[in-house]
Amino acid sequence: MPNIREIAKRAGVGIATVSRYINDTGYVSDDAKQKIQKEIDNLNYTPNALARAIFTKESKIIGLMIPNISNPFFNQITTIIEKYSEKMGYTLFLCNTEDNKEKEAKYLEVLKSYRVEGIIALRSQCKEEYLNIQIPVVSFENHILPSIPIVASDNYNGGRMAFEHLYEKGCRNILHIKGPKAFEATERRCKGFLDGAKEKNIKVDIVEFESDFHVEMLEQNLSGIKSIEDYDGIFVFNDIAAAVVMKFLKERGIVIPNQIQIIGFDNSFIGELLHPSLTTINQPIKELGTLAVKLLIKLINKEEVDIKEYLIETELIQRETTAHRQLG
Ligand code: XLF
């Protein structure tokens, strides 16, 4: 494996000169540059990025904690984050945490050892693990520490919109399938939904899931609802869970939206592919992902950043799982 010592020897220059050239950290004469580059090409030399990162403190790597890579929302937001980071000169180091605190904490150690310049933590399950890590962090949805800015959709308002829509479509016997307590976003969706219902004097039943996408588990929990046919509207906490609920209903011969209307949350790409297509609340995925990267790069560059919660507006996307129904 060629190294800079060998390049220096063959090019007839000092090791420090080769290092300055490779890391772009100081003056190198044009003549030396040409000789060094020639030997780099001859030896097919690839610089050791980690060694360089330790030396320059610039790995140009951003670590991304992803809570669930099989959820279409998270693969969409990852794509946005990856594209924008690349445009800004950074490479992503992807960590699939599976909403597991221990896994996330382990990944945090790995990211530190790879000298990442910053971390975006999607729906983090950790808190004190992020203390004293000396790496800028931006969080998505969950609070980590008061020193870490958060990007999220306006989940409370989204939840309210979901209720108002079902109500407007004539639903009066409503079920909310809510997300796990550890998801701050879905807690807020639930709060908004219930506040909307309270204003209209409608009682909402609630079923809670322990994770956002495990088909078997969702099906198990749903089979606990004895008389699902008694409901005329269901708000499901995200689109992927809504897809599972739709499958469950269809298998029982329940017609959507004629018997039960459904609304999801995310506006991820599966919503349009479902049959009937899914009414949902839009999370502005592009804006959310881009903002997270922008804030992180500002922190990396030691520019001033307001340490607060950045909430982005949500919007109703009406499709075929909700339809106007005459009240009897
Ligand atoms: O954390 C919430 C729950 O699931 C997230 O925004 C999502 O809606 C993605 O599907």
Side-chain angles (χ1 to χ4, degrees):
M1 195 80 133
N3 57 29
I4 64 169
R5 186 183 300 277
E6 198 175 341
I7 293 168
K9 196 168 159 209
R10 292 172 70 129
V13 299
I15 294 175
T17 314
V18 178
S19 165
R20 280 203 302 281
Y21 174 69
I22 290 172
N23 297 312
D24 195 18
T25 49
Y27 175 77
V28 179
S29 73
D30 285 346
D31 181 45
K33 274 184 190 166
Q34 268 180 24
K35 285 180 184 156
I36 296 168
Q37 191 53 54
K38 193 169 150 220
E39 295 311 325
I40 286 178
D41 295 342
N42 284 344
L43 292 169
N44 210 1
Y45 169 75
T46 319
N48 179 337
L50 197 53
R52 184 161 64 180
I54 292 167
F55 182 69
T56 61
K57 300 205 168 49
E58 281 190 6
S59 63
K60 289 285 173 197
I61 300 175
I62 289 175
L64 179 65
M65 302 286 195
I66 311 168
N68 187 343
I69 49 172
S70 25
N71 178 336
F73 172 85
F74 288 112
N75 48 61
Q76 278 177 270
I77 198 165
T78 297
T79 308
I80 298 290
I81 291 175
E82 196 260 334
K83 287 216 168 100
Y84 192 67
S85 300
E86 193 196 7
K87 191 169 151 199
M88 302 307 287
Y90 289 84
T91 305
L92 280 197
F93 188 130
L94 304 183
C95 310
N96 183 29
T97 65
E98 296 179 313
D99 284 310
N100 178 311
K101 193 177 157 118
E102 283 73 40
K103 248 189 122 178
E104 185 175 345
K106 263 194 197 157
Y107 267 128
L108 201 50
E109 291 308 311
V110 175
L111 293 179
K112 278 197 260 177
S113 72
Y114 275 83
R115 302 289 201 277
V116 298
E117 288 192 52
I119 298 173
I120 297 176
L122 307 179
R123 201 167 72 194
S124 171
Q125 298 304 314
C126 293
K127 296 215 183 299
E128 66 279 4
E129 292 78 359
Y130 283 82
L131 270 173
N132 307 321
I133 59 162
Q134 321 282 8
I135 302 171
V137 179
V138 171
S139 174
F140 174 70
E141 290 185 345
N142 276 9
H143 285 74
I144 302 180
L145 296 169
S147 54
I148 295 178
I150 304 179
V151 173
S153 298
D154 188 344
N155 289 295
Y156 177 84
N157 224 11
R160 272 194 93 102
M161 274 192 269
F163 174 80
E164 277 150 23
H165 182 67
L166 286 182
Y167 186 83
E168 198 183 287
K169 294 292 170 189
C171 300
R172 297 294 182 265
N173 298 306
I174 299 177
L175 173 69
H176 172 37
I177 296 180
K178 85 181 267 296
K181 287 201 183 62
F183 299 178
E184 288 181 30
T186 56
E187 288 295 294
R188 289 187 190 179
R189 286 170 205 172
C190 177
K191 174 95 173 66
F193 193 79
L194 294 183
D195 283 354
K198 206 166 154 197
E199 264 175 33
K200 300 281 188 219
N201 265 322
I202 299 283
K203 184 184 162 294
V204 172
D205 287 344
I206 296 183
V207 171
E208 179 177 323
F209 288 131
E210 295 128 44
S211 132
D212 70 345
F213 179 49
H214 290 296
V215 180
E216 302 78 24
M217 196 194 70
L218 288 179
E219 287 190 345
Q220 250 174 42
N221 286 11
L222 278 175
S223 29
I225 308 169
K226 286 207 178 58
S227 45
I228 195 139
E229 297 86 354
D230 291 345
Y231 298 103
D232 55 11
I234 306 181
F235 168 41
V236 191
F237 68 98
N238 70 12
D239 285 357
I240 187 73
V244 178
V245 172
M246 284 173 67
K247 179 170 172 270
F248 177 91
L249 295 177
K250 279 195 216 165
E251 281 167 0
R252 278 148 192 84
I254 296 168
V255 183
I256 308 166
N258 304 32
Q259 287 169 270
I260 302 185
Q261 305 195 53
I262 309 269
I263 182 164
F265 204 107
D266 286 344
N267 196 21
S268 59
F269 66 83
I270 49 153
E272 270 189 313
L273 304 179
L274 292 169
H275 186 68
S277 60
L278 180 66
T279 295
T280 188
I281 301 291
N282 180 57
Q283 297 211 59
I285 304 182
K286 189 165 182 195
E287 245 179 292
L288 292 163
T290 312
L291 178 61
V293 181
K294 276 189 184 155
L295 290 171
L296 188 69
I297 293 181
K298 276 191 170 184
L299 290 173
I300 292 173
N301 294 335
K302 301 201 167 28
E303 288 169 35
E304 204 169 305
V305 167
D306 253 356
I307 307 298
K308 61 168 195 174
E309 190 158 357
Y310 295 81
L311 286 188
I312 318 262
E313 269 179 43
T314 45
E315 186 196 350
L316 173 76
I317 307 291
Q318 171 154 18
R319 297 205 187 94
E320 295 163 350
T321 53
T322 55
H324 197 67
R325 191 147 4 105
Q326 292 297 317
L327 286 175

